[in-house]
Amino acid sequence: VRLSLDAVEREIVRLWEEEALKSQGPRIELLTVVALVSEERLRPRAEEVLAQVVRAHPSRTIAVTWKEGEQASLTGDVSLHRVTAGGAACGDAIVVEAVGGGRRWLPENIDRLALADLPVCIWWVGDLPDFDDLFDRAVVSSDLVIVNSGEMDLRDIEKLSSIVERSRGRYALTDLTWIRLKPIQELVARFFDDDAAAGCVPHMQKVTIEFAPREEEADVASTQAGLLFGWIAQAAGMRPEGVRWQRGNDWGEATLGKTAVRFVHRPRADVPTGTILRVAIECGGGRFEVERLDDPQVLRWSRHVQGSMTPPMSLRVATVEESTLLAGSLARPRRDPLFEKSLHTATQIVRPIAPRLSIPPQRP
Amino acid sequence: MTTNNPFRVGLETERTPAPCVFVIFGASGDLAKRKLFPALYNLALSRLLPPGMSIVGFATSERSDDVFRHMMHDAIAQFSRRKPVDETVWDDFASRLHYVPGKFEDPANFVRLRERLEALDRTNGTRGNRIYYLAIPPSEFRVVNDNLARAGLVADANDHARYTRIIVEKPFGTDLASGDRLNADLHRVFDESQIFRIDHYLGKETVQNLVALRFGNAIFEPIWNRNHVDHVQITVAEDIGVEGRGKFYEEAGTLRDIVQNHLLQLLMVTLMEPPVAFTANEVRDEKVKVLRALKPIEGEEIAKLTLRGQYGPGNCAGVPVVGYRQEPNVSPTSMVETFVAMRLEVDNWRFAGVPIYIRAGKRLTKRITEISVHFKHVPHVLLAQHAPVEPDVLAIRIQPDEGIALRFVAKVPGPSMTLRPVNMDFRYGSTFGGSGPEAYERLILDAMLGDPTLFARSDEVNAAWRFVNPVLEAWHSDTSPRDLPTYPAGTWGPQAAADLIERDGRAWRRL
């Protein structure tokens, strides 16, 4: 039964009272997670992810969908999230459906349904349009905005950069693809943990990043590869201004000062598209490499540095589900300066080959 | 590790351990198999071991590297918190495992050990960094330390090119004199900054969360004092017996095994002043001040403020169990205590006059470790027409089901002003899901990072023995059965434990 939004809060109170009669389980909610589901087909996936996430972060979740219709309306339905089927409740789930012009009313009603005095996280599910009035208005009263650049094109890196700029620090932006990169970043950082290797960093000559492209990939690099190099470039102090590009069918090479960065397509069916398959760095006479092996969850780490002997290692980096990535981003709902800096650097590097396509519409 | 790595800036893991050789003395013993190797394997699984790090087992039995690896695979398969064994990670982990057989008394074995470690430095880039873990009885510490020093296996504490650290397990002695002797033995070879005394209670998430609760929230600290706190209770209860460790327990007893270390650690973290920073020396300075402020229990006060007990036959969760004296390797006339209760006081500005009741024991009703802070009654009983108003209680559960509960009073819905206590309950498991790292994982990683915050310092150990010693001596000199009441297994200890707190008009919290 779909409820008027007016009735949603009352129904939630009733469900929790019913729950209290069944068990002594406490009601603990840490935040409100709002999923703005950009396409109806993504709704089941979004609801499934939210149901998983609340097990680590007991929360109120609000899944918002919209569809065309003449009569503008907003309705909702509610239920409780449970740790296991039939187990203890760990949050409440609201699904809001907007019809027609009702989509315009969503931001203020999301505010109304959010838990008082707790962080609000907005997760945009799907590809983010270049400009979206709902997104722009909803994020204003949020603390954390979560997107997934893995579902976007390389040119959208610049769009994300502009969201950070527009936020002026009022809310934080994070990217599930950025969270996915963390194990690779950790392994790359590990190359340079001793003085002998750290001394090589200023002499970076060549970086190779191989990734699994989408079918008929038109971009030189996946957003994941672009972000990874943005991070490497800012850490190594490279200057992205004046970047020069060359490209072939399945590769692209950027030159930043004395450093050549080659992005290589390596089709592979057993990993999600965009996945990093190999990172190799040559600098100051040292060679550093992380490569995904035949088992896609196993990475081989190796390095050769003059005067510093280290045996190679094999490490398991389990495939991370979307819900784990989302939970990871909710663990610290605050700005990540490293992400913002890496995004900014990546934007400058890829702009010549993946410029943003449109300009903001004039607001009335 | 280098602080010049620009790739570490802004990452969650801003500090990583430098590659080292981790040498475990007593590598085929129970502790190594149940705790140490599973903890190291789990660190490898979490990608927290540095590249090149090697692990060398040292024990008396002759066996090859391969046989040793096989043994450790079985141990990890049985005792790791994450199962089954990930064979890819295991292969990599196994390549780091080595074994050196030999008796601890023979210096030649330490020369062989040095040669093996130097070879690992050359092939694995461990650069002379060493961590020695003494998973052996304290009686063997001295000979191992001396032989390590004699073989040139201990770097100077001021050597910035390489480090040597030693991790020792409790018991840190058996009384004040032996505790001091043990410290002196360690200090002959190692600087205090190189010694990591492990008390695995400090590695538990909830103990660390107690610090977060007290010093990360503004609402608790202002009321954490004698003006608002009526009393504090600390319970460390086990439902198991001595589990085949009768021989060990006959020499230890609950006072040495639990109170002198785990329980006093919990007491210190509960009562310490805010440190100026969450760094090793600042935290440990504040902790040791609590021990120094403990009112000594001596002379006639021992009989008044302390009591011991020993479990007799009874049942554990409905299963009949034998009494302590019927356990294997336990004397049928044993006077060793399996239960301790005490009333303590801390003579400092903050807690003067606030009683601290502690109890610890084996074969109690259930396994639970909890600290509860009982606040004072409201000053004026305005609302107690129909029932006395229960005072508020903040309970910190260390194990199992780690969490924090606040008991306060609420009005029962209805026309009359009826009040009843309600619990606001925070549980780690249901709030954050999953399981955190085991205490040993956290502590081993801290030792690799050189962070001793969660380890006991020599002056803490000394102060703990100084407090406990008079009680130990009095109990050992008094062997009359009336002072060692028996309690049925599966109960909350002897009746005298209830009397100890009830004569102050209070009661043990129902757990």
Side-chain angles (χ1 to χ4, degrees):
Chain A
V1 177
R2 298 205 65 82
L3 304 163
S4 71
L5 289 200
D6 193 32
V8 162
E9 197 68 57
R10 282 200 303 275
E11 179 62 9
I12 288 174
V13 170
R14 191 191 68 74
L15 288 173
W16 279 105
E17 281 175 358
E18 206 175 88
E19 182 67 15
L21 289 177
K22 282 192 286 187
S23 72
Q24 291 297 308
R27 175 179 177 179
I28 296 173
E29 287 172 303
L30 305 174
L31 38 91
T32 302
V33 185
V34 181
L36 298 177
V37 186
S38 62
E39 296 172 62
E40 180 59 27
R41 69 179 175 87
L42 299 175
R43 182 174 145 183
R45 187 185 102 196
E47 289 188 37
E48 175 58 30
V49 169
L50 290 175
Q52 298 282 339
V53 163
V54 292
R55 291 172 190 170
H57 300 277
S59 307
R60 167 165 295 181
T61 65
I62 307 174
V64 180
T65 63
W66 49 86
K67 63 180 183 188
E68 297 300 318
E70 287 194 1
Q71 188 78 38
S73 69
L74 285 183
T75 53
D77 62 36
V78 294
S79 58
L80 295 185
H81 289 294
R82 296 192 179 277
V83 178
T84 53
C90 55
D92 35 56
I94 305 173
V95 177
V96 174
E97 187 179 84
V99 178
R103 189 176 188 269
R104 283 197 313 276
W105 307 331
L106 282 169
E108 54 270 31
N109 283 288
I110 290 169
D111 260 2
R112 175 192 172 123
L113 294 172
L115 292 167
D117 211 25
L118 286 171
V120 174
C121 303
I122 303 265
W123 171 36
W124 184 273
V125 186
D127 189 8
L128 183 62
D130 273 8
F131 301 99
D132 187 276
D133 187 51
L134 168 61
F135 178 82
D136 290 348
R137 287 172 55 215
V139 297
V140 171
S141 55
S142 70
D143 299 277
L144 178 69
V145 177
I146 302 161
V147 295
N148 186 359
S149 67
E151 302 190 58
M152 303 176 189
D153 297 325
L154 193 59
R155 66 185 175 83
D156 292 324
I157 283 185
E158 185 166 2
K159 180 167 62 189
L160 299 184
S161 211
S162 75
I163 292 171
V164 173
E165 265 172 47
R166 274 183 289 156
S167 76
R168 296 198 192 98
R170 281 174 303 191
Y171 53 85
L173 175 78
T174 193
D175 175 8
L176 300 184
T177 295
W178 171 256
I179 308 273
R180 198 186 283 282
L181 271 175
K182 285 184 185 279
I184 297 267
Q185 289 175 321
E186 169 56 36
L187 294 178
V188 170
R190 195 175 279 191
F191 288 147
F192 305 105
D193 267 340
D194 58 2
D195 288 327
C200 300
V201 174
H203 312 288
M204 207 169 273
Q205 297 134 335
K206 191 171 179 187
V207 178
T208 306
I209 300 178
E210 296 178 5
F211 67 98
R214 294 177 290 195
E215 216 172 305
E216 296 180 25
E217 177 69 76
D219 280 331
V220 162
S222 63
T223 50
Q224 200 171 154
L227 277 174
L228 177 65
F229 184 65
W231 171 69
I232 292 173
Q234 62 80 36
M238 293 179 204
R239 299 183 65 82
E241 304 86 6
V243 58
R244 286 173 291 116
W245 279 92
Q246 317 170 53
R247 59 185 298 177
N249 278 344
D250 58 357
W251 61 273
E253 188 170 293
T255 306
L256 292 89
K258 290 178 181 166
T259 313
V261 188
R262 181 170 276 247
F263 296 93
V264 181
H265 296 197
R266 226 175 84 188
R268 186 160 164 176
D270 58 354
V271 293
T273 55
T275 300
I276 306 293
L277 300 174
R278 180 171 166 264
V279 181
I281 298 174
E282 290 172 30
C283 57
R287 282 180 296 118
F288 308 86
E289 187 178 67
V290 179
E291 182 166 26
R292 205 170 287 274
L293 301 185
D294 289 342
D295 177 344
Q297 296 190 2
V298 178
L299 297 175
R300 185 80 173 155
W301 180 99
S302 62
R303 63 169 217 177
H304 302 277
V305 182
Q306 195 95 35
S308 178
M309 177 68 195
T310 316
M313 300 170 78
S314 297
L315 303 113
R316 182 169 295 280
V317 178
T319 308
V320 184
E321 301 292 329
E322 197 172 20
S323 56
T324 310
L325 296 173
L326 189 62
S329 61
L330 295 176
R332 287 174 188 80
R334 56 173 183 252
R335 288 178 65 188
D336 178 351
L338 186 62
F339 170 60
E340 293 179 4
K341 214 168 157 185
S342 304
L343 186 63
H344 182 68
T345 306
T347 299
Q348 290 175 286
I349 293 168
V350 304
R351 187 178 286 142
I353 51 158
R356 203 168 176 191
L357 292 182
S358 53
I359 53 165
Q362 294 295 311
R363 294 203 187 278
Chain B
M1 288 311 281
T2 179
T3 50
N4 301 322
N5 181 354
F7 289 94
R8 287 273 167 218
V9 179
L11 284 193
E12 270 173 45
T13 45
E14 287 195 2
R15 289 176 65 220
T16 54
C20 64
V21 187
F22 195 94
V23 183
I24 299 177
F25 291 94
S28 49
D30 216 35
L31 176 71
K33 282 196 275 196
R34 282 173 180 268
K35 296 290 181 188
L36 305 185
F37 283 98
L40 286 162
Y41 162 77
N42 275 294
L43 288 172
L45 208 52
S46 305
R47 306 188 297 274
L48 290 170
L49 293 187
M53 181 186 163
S54 304
I55 301 158
V56 174
F58 190 116
T60 45
S61 312
E62 280 292 335
R63 56 175 75 90
S64 66
D65 281 355
D66 280 342
V67 170
F68 179 65
R69 286 171 187 148
H70 195 73
M71 270 173 66
M72 290 310 126
H73 183 278
D74 290 350
I76 288 164
Q78 191 177 354
F79 299 114
S80 167
R81 70 185 166 93
R82 292 188 276 194
K83 290 174 180 150
V85 176
D86 182 321
E87 295 301 333
T88 305
V89 174
W90 164 257
D91 286 346
D92 198 85
F93 185 72
S95 71
R96 299 159 177 261
L97 289 185
H98 310 272
Y99 183 75
V100 174
K103 291 202 162 33
F104 301 143
E105 306 80 48
D106 185 354
N109 292 327
F110 286 74
V111 174
R112 282 200 300 120
L113 175 67
R114 189 188 66 211
E115 286 162 5
R116 193 76 188 262
L117 301 188
E118 285 170 351
L120 288 169
D121 283 343
R122 287 191 294 276
T123 54
N124 289 8
T126 39
R127 296 171 223 146
N129 295 326
R130 314 275 183 254
I131 296 180
Y132 303 117
Y133 199 118
L134 303 190
I136 51 177
S139 54
E140 295 182 295
F141 285 6
R142 187 185 177 125
V143 69
V144 170
N145 292 346
D146 287 350
N147 281 333
L148 282 172
R150 207 169 291 144
L153 282 164
V154 181
D156 190 274
N158 297 316
D159 186 340
H160 297 297
R162 61 191 179 135
Y163 66 75
T164 300
R165 296 177 191 137
I166 187 159
I167 305 177
V168 291
E169 273 280 338
K170 76 169 184 83
F172 309 124
T174 53
D175 55 17
L176 179 60
S178 65
D180 285 350
R181 263 199 313 277
L182 183 68
N183 270 335
D185 279 348
L186 286 165
H187 286 148
R188 273 191 308 109
V189 177
F190 298 96
D191 183 76
E192 179 62 24
S193 64
Q194 296 174 300
I195 304 169
F196 290 69
R197 295 177 191 80
I198 216 164
D199 183 328
H200 71 271
Y201 261 55
L202 288 179
K204 288 183 182 288
E205 285 282 329
T206 322
V207 176
Q208 294 160 50
N209 195 38
L210 177 55
V211 176
L213 175 89
R214 287 194 56 199
F215 306 126
N217 295 292
I219 58 170
F220 296 115
E221 204 45 31
I223 57 170
W224 209 265
N225 56 48
R226 68 194 151 83
N227 297 323
H228 300 275
V229 175
D230 177 73
H231 72 283
V232 176
Q233 296 182 15
I234 304 178
T235 300
V236 179
E238 292 176 286
D239 55 0
I240 55 170
V242 292
E243 304 292 294
R245 292 163 71 224
K247 190 174 167 219
F248 161 77
Y249 218 78
E250 280 285 273
E251 290 174 14
T254 301
L255 192 61
R256 287 190 181 105
D257 189 39
I258 301 289
V259 176
Q260 188 271 345
N261 37 71
H262 301 327
L263 208 146
L264 288 183
Q265 286 291 347
L266 297 181
L267 179 103
M268 286 187 265
V269 179
T270 308
L271 304 184
M272 72 181 188
E273 291 294 320
V276 290
F278 197 68
T279 52
N281 275 335
E282 278 69 16
V283 171
R284 297 191 297 178
D285 284 347
E286 295 306 333
K287 278 169 57 193
V288 80
K289 280 183 200 167
V290 175
L291 288 184
R292 290 193 190 126
L294 273 177
K295 215 177 197 172
I297 303 179
E298 291 166 335
E300 289 178 359
E301 290 209 308
I302 291 173
K304 260 180 20 199
L305 302 177
T306 73
L307 72 97
R308 53 186 165 151
Q310 192 184 70
Y311 66 83
N315 82 91
C316 180
V319 178
V321 293
V322 297
Y324 177 70
R325 290 177 183 178
Q326 291 81 50
E327 297 274 13
N329 300 318
V330 170
S331 159
T333 56
S334 173
M335 289 297 287
V336 169
E337 79 285 354
T338 61
F339 179 90
V340 172
M342 289 184 175
R343 183 191 190 278
L344 316 177
E345 278 192 40
V346 177
D347 262 345
N348 65 12
W349 193 270
R350 186 187 282 258
F351 280 108
V354 176
I356 321 289
Y357 301 96
I358 62 169
R359 59 177 168 170
K362 287 197 170 291
R363 281 273 185 248
L364 300 183
T365 309
K366 60 165 98 160
R367 172 177 172 255
I368 187 163
T369 299
E370 189 200 78
I371 301 160
S372 55
V373 179
H374 297 244
F375 292 93
K376 291 191 169 174
H377 282 274
V378 289
H380 174 52
V381 189
L382 181 68
L383 300 169
Q385 294 96 327
H386 303 294
V389 179
E390 297 278 341
D392 303 332
V393 176
L394 183 70
I396 300 115
R397 273 188 314 276
I398 310 295
Q399 64 183 17
D401 197 14
E402 299 174 292
I404 295 167
L406 179 65
R407 187 183 77 181
F408 59 98
V409 164
K411 177 184 174 297
V412 177
S416 65
M417 185 54 92
T418 307
L419 307 180
R420 60 165 293 184
V422 293
N423 253 15
M424 200 154 68
D425 204 348
F426 158 78
R427 291 163 198 234
Y428 259 92
S430 54
T431 303
F432 294 116
S435 60
E438 275 258 322
Y440 274 95
E441 290 167 41
R442 167 69 198 257
L443 293 172
I444 287 174
L445 186 62
D446 279 2
M448 289 197 291
L449 287 164
D451 180 353
T453 309
L454 299 179
F455 294 82
R457 207 169 54 186
S458 64
D459 53 347
E460 276 176 60
V461 176
N462 173 274
W465 279 125
R466 206 167 278 283
F467 175 73
V468 161
N469 216 52
V471 181
L472 260 181
E473 284 176 355
W475 284 0
H476 281 208
S477 61
D478 183 354
T479 51
S480 66
R482 87 188 139 74
D483 282 324
L484 186 67
T486 303
Y487 58 95
T491 65
W492 280 113
Q495 176 56 37
D499 299 342
L500 176 84
I501 189 168
E502 282 170 10
R503 64 174 178 247
D504 290 348
R506 301 183 176 97
W508 291 108
R509 198 171 124 79
R510 184 176 295 122
L511 298 174

